[in-house]
Amino acid sequence: MRIRTLRAVLPAALLIAAAGCGGTPGADKPDQKTADQPASSIKTSGFEDLGPVTLTVISPEGSGGPRDALRALSKSFEEKYPNVTVKISFRNFTDWTKQAKLVASSDSPPDVFGGNQGYQLDGELVKAGLILPLTKYAEAYGWDKSYTPETLQQFEWTDDGETFGEGTLWGVAQTGQSVGVFANKKKLAAAGVDPASLKTFDDFEAALAKLRESLPADEPVITLGNLDQFHALHLWGGIQGAYTPAQDVRDWIFQRDGATFDNEGNLKALEKLKEWADNGYLGKGDTYNSRNETNAGVAFGKGTGALLIAGNWQAATARDGLGADAIFFNMPPGESGDMVNIGSTSFPMHISAKTKQPDLAAAYLDWITGPSAAQALVDTQQVPAATDATAEPSDPLGQEVKQGWDELVQDGGLTLYPDWSSPTMLQTMGQSFQEMLAGRISPQDVISRVQDDWEQYHKELAGG
């Protein structure tokens, strides 16, 4: 995503998950209408005069809270412009990242759709000319002030789609998303674990052992759903943060010369994840490999497991399931004392280069991401990405989620998502982690596979 130190990502919101994208037929780039259009000529109001018009929107948000917020904001946009119908649909994230480029290049693509930061999808969309540049819209709507420059870097590419983290703006996002620890307060109490006492990663590990002793043998300590092969990676991100500096992780994701996955911290983190699996903290592989991350959140909300280490987008699911027993905190830090974990903004939303209503689509983007969207976001347990958002969570879980995000940002601890580092990295890491947990390969084998993938793409970017 960005190409610089992330310490300045500060007060906004950044988020998840990632994938490899499918191929699309080669074709000439669509006309990118706003590239040379001055901000003063962009229409930002008066859309009620357009007559009946439909905006089609596809979102890859998979959890209840983000979907609920997007539905509510789409409805209020229709209320603002009664002549506009927003036809929104949701797709499974993993499937969508494989389909998005094909759908965007079709004869009837959605006007607005979700992408994914990194070379796997957004870089490909820019290269193929399938999305509109948004720099002029950012000036017209003040997005360049609602987001820090550092936050916007994850949506910036050179116009050829080759260089990530600088150049033209191609998307904006709604929320700040990071991975942390959801806990069932009642089960922690039964095991004699006080969450306030978990100051270090070692404290957290000691709590896992207590929980294993307290829970029934057939119940996992940590509820996992690795069907899509990314939840184990997210779980590992917090362990990695206890051993590896955040900037080292980001340098590797940015494909910086000299960066490597093959280091002592990553090896220790992989060995620790395997140890947790061997200790029975994750439950049975047949179970966690048969459900996805969304369903793991639902299971946790229904009382399975004491912990769910997952993205803060699961907050609404945890709250709806456990009520006041749902709490959230960051993975406690390692020896550095810094909070470090996976996190960024949510999926970037893009405008199709083929839309007939680019200005209306941009107005919709502003409506769902700008300061006016903040209340709908906090009402669904999310952290607004816009720094000028004023709404604050009113419930304890929402406040804990926001605090978790703020701590990571203040410590410069957001590591983004490792699969952004190459178009094939999610598959490489996902399969390798799954095989390691099953005991078929070693942690060192994982490191070798992952770094080999990275080096192959590094050479490709260098023209080798």
Side-chain angles (χ1 to χ4, degrees):
M1 162 175 123
R2 350 171 192 264
I3 303 187
R4 29 131 299 229
T5 178
L6 246 227
R7 177 153 300 265
V9 161
L10 297 174
L14 284 99
L15 150 4
I16 69 263
C21 60
T24 57
D28 292 336
K29 290 187 178 184
D31 179 25
Q32 295 177 329
K33 308 174 185 65
T34 67
D36 301 313
Q37 188 176 357
S40 59
S41 69
I42 288 173
K43 183 177 182 179
T44 59
S45 61
F47 298 109
E48 63 274 9
D49 299 329
L50 290 175
V53 61
T54 298
L55 273 182
T56 55
V57 179
I58 293 179
S59 167
E61 291 287 7
S63 302
R67 289 188 176 193
D68 290 345
L70 199 49
R71 288 190 185 101
L73 289 165
S74 296
K75 182 177 180 181
S76 62
F77 188 75
E78 291 176 328
E79 291 170 352
K80 181 177 176 66
Y81 298 110
N83 58 308
V84 176
T85 299
V86 179
K87 185 178 180 181
I88 186 168
S89 61
F90 297 93
R91 305 289 176 85
N92 170 276
F93 171 73
T94 302
D95 292 340
W96 175 243
T97 52
K98 297 173 183 175
Q99 302 164 357
K101 193 177 171 188
L102 283 167
V103 173
S105 63
S106 69
D107 291 336
S108 55
D111 298 288
V112 174
F113 61 93
N116 193 47
Q117 298 96 323
Y119 294 99
Q120 309 94 320
L121 182 52
D122 278 8
E124 293 298 311
L125 293 171
V126 173
K127 283 182 183 179
L130 295 173
I131 54 178
L132 289 182
L134 302 183
T135 302
K136 296 302 181 183
Y137 287 121
E139 295 173 11
Y141 283 103
W143 297 340
D144 51 347
K145 310 230 175 7
S146 292
Y147 302 85
T148 66
E150 294 78 18
T151 299
L152 290 175
Q153 280 188 308
Q154 67 188 293
F155 313 127
E156 292 174 344
W157 294 83
T158 52
D159 291 348
D160 59 6
E162 294 290 342
T163 303
F164 188 17
E166 62 184 65
T168 301
L169 184 73
W170 301 90
V172 287
Q174 288 185 295
T175 62
Q177 299 184 335
S178 58
V179 174
V181 183
F182 290 96
N184 185 322
K185 185 166 59 175
K186 186 178 295 184
K187 292 189 177 184
L188 263 61
V193 175
D194 177 5
S197 71
L198 306 181
K199 303 296 187 183
T200 68
F201 185 74
D202 288 343
D203 294 337
F204 184 79
E205 273 219 281
L208 292 180
K210 287 184 178 181
L211 288 163
R212 181 64 285 160
E213 292 177 1
S214 174
L215 293 171
D218 61 351
E219 182 176 357
V221 176
I222 301 169
T223 306
L224 179 64
N226 203 42
L227 178 63
D228 294 330
Q229 296 187 336
F230 69 77
H231 194 187
L233 178 55
H234 288 188
L235 165 61
W236 175 76
I239 306 173
Q240 181 194 36
Y243 296 104
T244 307
Q247 188 59 54
D248 289 358
V249 180
R250 293 190 295 261
D251 286 347
W252 183 79
I253 290 170
F254 295 149
Q255 284 280 339
R256 286 182 172 166
D257 291 343
T260 181
F261 193 79
D262 190 356
N263 58 53
E264 183 180 1
N266 286 339
L267 180 59
K268 286 183 177 179
L270 287 165
E271 291 172 340
K272 185 60 66 177
L273 177 61
K274 182 62 167 66
E275 180 184 317
W276 287 7
D278 292 345
N279 288 345
Y281 297 162
L282 310 182
K284 295 181 178 180
D286 288 347
T287 300
Y288 62 70
N289 285 326
S290 66
R291 66 184 171 209
N292 61 23
E293 187 240 24
T294 298
N295 290 332
V298 172
F300 174 75
K302 291 180 177 179
T304 297
L307 305 172
L308 174 72
I309 300 178
N312 60 12
W313 53 87
Q314 289 278 13
T317 302
R319 178 202 59 190
D320 293 346
L322 297 179
D325 285 327
I327 61 173
F328 180 88
F329 53 90
N330 278 326
M331 180 70 77
E335 293 182 1
S336 72
D338 290 334
M339 299 289 188
V340 177
N341 211 330
I342 285 174
S344 77
T345 64
S346 55
F347 307 114
M349 297 298 284
H350 301 300
I351 298 177
S352 169
K354 297 183 180 182
T355 183
K356 295 179 180 179
Q357 298 289 345
D359 288 353
L360 178 63
Y364 174 78
L365 283 190
D366 185 64
W367 190 260
I368 66 172
T369 64
S372 61
Q375 192 62 55
L377 296 174
V378 299
D379 285 348
T380 52
Q381 309 295 307
Q382 298 176 86
V383 181
T387 59
D388 48 0
T390 57
E392 292 286 339
S394 59
D395 66 294
L397 182 62
Q399 292 165 3
E400 289 166 353
V401 167
K402 185 177 185 301
Q403 179 182 346
W405 170 260
D406 289 344
E407 289 173 348
L408 282 169
V409 168
Q410 290 161 8
D411 284 357
L414 294 167
T415 61
L416 316 181
Y417 293 87
D419 52 283
W420 294 2
S421 59
S422 88
T424 54
M425 190 58 73
L426 180 64
Q427 182 178 11
T428 297
M429 297 188 84
Q431 291 180 352
S432 298
F433 273 54
Q434 194 171 64
E435 290 182 47
M436 182 191 73
L437 291 174
R440 293 195 290 271
I441 63 173
S442 70
Q444 185 59 57
D445 291 332
V446 175
I447 283 180
S448 297
R449 287 185 183 182
V450 169
Q451 185 60 18
D452 182 63
D453 182 307
W454 187 92
E455 288 178 357
Q456 288 185 41
Y457 194 60
H458 195 68
K459 290 177 182 177
E460 182 179 332
L461 289 174

